[in-house]
Amino acid sequence: MGATRRLYARLQSGGSAVYRSLFFPPSVICIAIIIASVFGWQAAKQSLAHDLTTAEDVRIGTAEQSLYSHISSYEQILRGGVGLFQGSDSVTSSDWANYLSAFDVKNNFPGVQGIGFARVFTADQLPDVQAFMADQGVPDFQVTPADPPRDTYAAVVYLQTVAATAPPSFGFDMYSEPTRRAAMEEARDNDQTTITPRIQLMTAGPAQNRPTGFNMYAPYYGPTVPSTVDDRRAQLRGYVYASFRTEVFFRPIIAGLNTKTMAFAINIHGDKTPLYASPNYDRIAGGKDAAHIERSARMYGQTWDIRYALDANQVVSTVQLRRPGGVLFFGIFTAVLISLIIYLVLRGRARDLTAQKERAVEMAKDELLSLASHQLRTPATGVKQYVGMVLQGFVGDISDEQKALLEKAYASNDRQLRIINEILHLAKIDSGRIVLARQTTDLNDLVKDIVTEQRPDIAAAKHHLKLQLSKRPVMANVDTHMLRMALENILSNAIKYTPEGGHIKVQVRRLRLHALIEVTDDGVGINPGDINEIFRQFSRLPNEMSQRVEGTGIGLYLAKHLIELHKGSIRVISKPGQGSTFTIEVPLKIKGL
């Protein structure tokens, strides 16, 4: 029996090793696909970074181009105005108005506050300028601010305002304000259009409420442009200029770049002084996915530090943003799916191979057990007969000592035959060759006979047995020999695993459709977690009595399967040290069925 248990254990451990080995190929494939997916994910991230950079460059390039185009369009107007004065030294206010009306500045060039001409003259020339302005319909022309007196003025003499908040600034001396004068002198010396840093524009209301902006200046020298700086300073006659309110000037540029989304923002500083920030700059720049780019732009004598902020989630498409995560997810999903499919295929194949091997081993085991049992039962039966004949006196009288030894030999031989019969039935059960020979039997009589047969063992163990039979016949259609074998094994275990002087109760009850046979003892008991283990082949639980009790570990296995062949069931309730109750349930013989 030990060899059989070892064979079964090797088979089980071998099968477990086979199943464990099935994880290796799918695991390798899974890891390989995941590694490839990680590389694909990194490539997708690099591609996304490139797409973001390209989209940012395109957006920023568009913004810079729009900014240059926007501001250079005003330079063309100013240069055209210079050309107007160069063509005629007697340009009137009406000529100036007609020139600007052709451009429709208000509708075609948003952001400008006003466009005018500032005439440069000395203090001695002020009366002539006042007379000229009187002829132009400005009889009370005065240079402002009047104090302190200055040698040279650059006063506004022509002006067409666009914004409603920009009042006529006739007479305002732009040389009186240092920021304006610096830009004007740079334009004069270099014969270039220049713009100022941030300034307060001339509007109605208190000075502290005036909007900020910048001016653009184009110098006018006369019919020709002098070639030297000294000549330019000496021949300078005035400036054609334009005033811009920064908020109004930059707004259409940003709006044009955010036609579909508000993903683009801009912040401009001139000479480290804030010039303009789009309304959405703080929101975009403070976002977790914001991209920040800083550029410097040289604009007509001024250096503007431009800070761009873009929302990466809106700069490129959602498909592009999700591509890296999609590549990684799809790769992992594919790896798991393919590995699972491969594992299931291999496991199915391994299961088939293992099942074939198990069937082969079981068939070999059954044949070996059957052959061995038949070969063992034949001589054992002969020994039993011969010993029985000697005990019955067929060969003459024997002494008491001889009789005692022969009786022990007879009992030992009888136990051997029982074990051989159990092994034979075990082989038949495993191979499915048991066929029940059913007959109608009163289970009261069957249980009573079994108890009577085992009375000597009960008495030898000094147990107290109580038999409680049903008052009515309990008729069942059973194989008496097979059911007897099952009940004998259960009662025998109760006797063996109950300490000397224990109590055993056997009860037969009749239910509506079933009969119940209960065997209760106050023996060593069974741990609830081990109850399923006692019904396995060759299984014996270690306890305080298992070392002193002989057994093969197949009795309860046989009992369970024989009962189930009768369409019955067996249940166990037990606690260690408190005994066990085995309940056998078999169908009754119902009249008419």
Side-chain angles (χ1 to χ4, degrees):
M1 296 301 101
T4 305
R5 284 196 293 270
R6 288 193 295 273
L7 174 63
Y8 184 76
R10 284 198 300 272
L11 180 62
Q12 289 294 101
S13 62
S16 299
V18 169
Y19 280 111
R20 286 195 298 271
S21 67
L22 295 179
F23 286 100
F24 180 72
S27 299
V28 171
I29 294 173
C30 181
I31 293 172
I33 296 177
I34 289 177
I35 291 174
S37 300
V38 170
F39 281 110
W41 170 65
Q42 291 177 338
K45 285 185 66 177
Q46 292 175 354
S47 176
L48 175 61
H50 178 268
D51 291 344
L52 284 171
T53 302
T54 301
E56 292 165 0
D57 289 342
V58 169
R59 192 71 66 92
I60 291 172
T62 302
E64 292 178 347
Q65 182 179 1
S66 177
L67 183 60
Y68 279 113
S69 175
H70 203 57
I71 200 168
S72 63
S73 63
Y74 288 103
E75 182 191 16
Q76 300 303 318
I77 296 177
L78 299 189
R79 285 297 180 182
V82 171
L84 177 66
F85 283 99
Q86 288 176 333
S88 173
D89 197 32
S90 59
V91 176
T92 65
S93 59
S94 176
D95 296 333
W96 180 251
N98 291 333
Y99 168 73
L100 292 179
S101 64
F103 291 97
D104 191 10
V105 175
K106 183 175 183 179
N107 295 318
N108 296 330
F109 297 89
V112 67
Q113 290 282 109
I115 300 178
F117 176 68
R119 183 171 178 176
V120 176
F121 54 90
T122 63
D124 295 338
Q125 295 173 326
L126 177 59
D128 296 335
V129 173
Q130 289 175 329
F132 176 79
M133 291 301 295
D135 292 340
Q136 303 300 316
V138 186
D140 53 351
F141 179 82
Q142 297 292 331
V143 175
T144 58
D147 294 322
R150 297 173 292 284
D151 293 335
T152 304
Y153 300 97
V156 177
V157 294
Y158 296 151
L159 177 64
Q160 180 173 341
T161 59
V162 176
T165 57
S169 302
F170 295 118
F172 175 66
D173 178 19
M174 292 192 177
Y175 274 178
S176 66
E177 201 276 308
T179 302
R180 288 178 170 86
R181 180 162 186 161
M184 295 168 77
E185 289 178 345
E186 181 179 356
R188 173 199 67 193
D189 292 346
N190 297 312
D191 186 29
Q192 292 181 349
T193 303
T194 62
I195 59 175
T196 66
R198 188 182 68 171
I199 59 174
Q200 279 190 320
L201 301 179
M202 300 299 294
T203 59
Q208 64 269 20
N209 294 334
R210 290 174 181 173
T212 59
F214 61 91
N215 281 357
M216 174 182 282
Y217 297 100
Y220 162 55
Y221 304 101
T224 60
V225 178
S227 58
T228 66
V229 174
D230 292 337
D231 290 342
R232 290 171 192 159
R233 291 177 178 177
Q235 297 180 32
L236 180 69
R237 296 188 181 183
Y239 298 90
V240 179
Y241 78 94
S243 295
F244 303 94
R245 185 171 180 174
T246 53
E247 181 180 347
V248 181
F249 178 80
F250 290 108
R251 185 187 301 143
I253 300 174
I254 305 303
L257 296 170
N258 284 321
T259 53
K260 294 183 179 180
T261 64
M262 295 299 291
F264 183 85
I266 191 171
N267 190 328
I268 302 176
H269 284 63
D271 193 21
K272 299 182 180 180
T273 303
L275 185 63
Y276 172 77
S278 57
N280 62 339
Y281 183 80
D282 290 338
R283 178 179 63 82
I284 297 297
K288 64 177 183 178
D289 296 319
H292 301 271
I293 298 93
E294 293 188 10
R295 300 280 182 88
S296 293
R298 186 69 181 172
M299 291 287 184
Y300 297 99
Q302 293 295 317
T303 299
W304 285 354
D305 296 320
I306 307 175
R307 302 171 186 173
Y308 299 96
L310 302 94
D311 185 350
N313 291 324
Q314 299 186 46
V315 170
V316 295
S317 67
T318 303
V319 174
Q320 290 173 292
L321 285 172
R322 293 179 178 176
R323 186 181 299 151
V327 169
L328 185 61
F329 172 80
F330 180 76
I332 294 175
F333 175 78
T334 303
V336 173
L337 180 61
I338 293 177
S339 301
L340 180 60
I341 292 173
I342 293 174
Y343 170 75
L344 292 176
V345 171
L346 293 177
R347 189 180 70 171
R349 181 60 178 164
R351 182 181 296 166
D352 293 341
L353 293 174
T354 302
Q356 291 177 8
K357 292 181 179 179
E358 288 179 349
R359 285 195 295 270
V361 171
E362 289 296 328
M363 290 178 63
K365 182 190 72 173
D366 294 342
E367 291 177 1
L368 176 62
L369 289 175
S370 179
L371 178 61
S373 299
H374 278 292
Q375 295 298 322
L376 290 172
R377 187 168 63 171
T378 300
T381 303
V383 171
K384 180 178 180 181
Q385 291 174 351
Y386 292 139
V387 173
M389 291 173 66
V390 173
L391 285 173
Q392 292 176 14
F394 282 96
V395 294
D397 296 333
I398 56 176
S399 65
D400 292 339
E401 185 177 355
Q402 291 173 331
K403 182 178 181 181
L405 291 174
L406 288 172
E407 286 177 345
K408 289 182 180 180
Y410 187 89
S412 178
N413 183 266
D414 194 52
R415 284 195 300 273
Q416 182 182 11
L417 281 172
R418 284 203 304 271
I419 292 173
I420 292 172
N421 287 330
E422 286 181 347
I423 293 174
L424 279 171
H425 283 94
L426 174 64
K428 289 180 179 180
I429 286 176
D430 288 345
S431 61
R433 298 199 306 267
I434 288 185
V435 179
L436 298 180
R438 293 178 181 269
Q439 60 182 0
T440 302
T441 303
D442 187 348
L443 298 184
N444 280 331
D445 295 337
L446 178 61
V447 172
K448 184 176 179 181
D449 288 346
I450 294 171
V451 171
T452 300
E453 289 176 0
Q454 298 202 23
R455 285 285 184 184
D457 293 334
I458 295 171
K462 298 180 181 179
H463 292 329
H464 304 280
L465 186 140
K466 180 179 180 181
L467 177 61
Q468 186 175 339
L469 301 176
S470 173
K471 295 180 180 180
R472 297 169 55 196
V474 183
M475 308 306 294
N477 192 19
V478 299
D479 185 319
T480 306
H481 177 67
M482 297 297 176
L483 188 57
R484 175 187 290 273
M485 186 184 303
L487 297 177
E488 283 176 347
N489 279 324
I490 294 171
L491 180 56
S492 176
N493 275 358
I495 296 170
K496 292 176 183 178
Y497 291 99
T498 299
E500 186 176 296
H503 294 79
I504 298 174
K505 179 181 178 182
V506 179
Q507 183 180 10
V508 180
R509 290 192 292 156
R510 176 189 174 100
L511 301 180
R512 183 170 176 270
L513 297 175
H514 295 84
L516 293 183
I517 303 171
E518 292 181 348
V519 179
T520 303
D521 64 65
D522 56 1
V524 294
I526 307 167
N527 191 315
D530 293 331
I531 287 178
N532 290 332
E533 191 70 21
I534 65 175
F535 293 108
R536 293 181 60 185
Q537 292 184 40
F538 311 114
S539 175
R540 298 190 69 200
L541 299 180
N543 56 53
E544 61 188 68
M545 300 189 69
S546 60
Q547 299 299 323
R548 303 196 302 268
V549 175
E550 295 181 354
T552 61
I554 61 175
L556 289 178
Y557 175 81
L558 281 174
K560 181 176 184 294
H561 283 77
L562 290 174
I563 291 169
E564 289 177 348
L565 284 174
H566 286 84
K567 307 299 181 183
S569 64
I570 181 169
R571 300 188 301 275
V572 182
I573 299 176
S574 183
K575 290 184 179 180
Q578 298 183 24
S580 307
T581 296
F582 284 73
T583 302
I584 299 93
E585 182 177 313
V586 294
L588 289 174
K589 171 68 175 177
I590 307 298
K591 291 182 178 180
L593 296 180

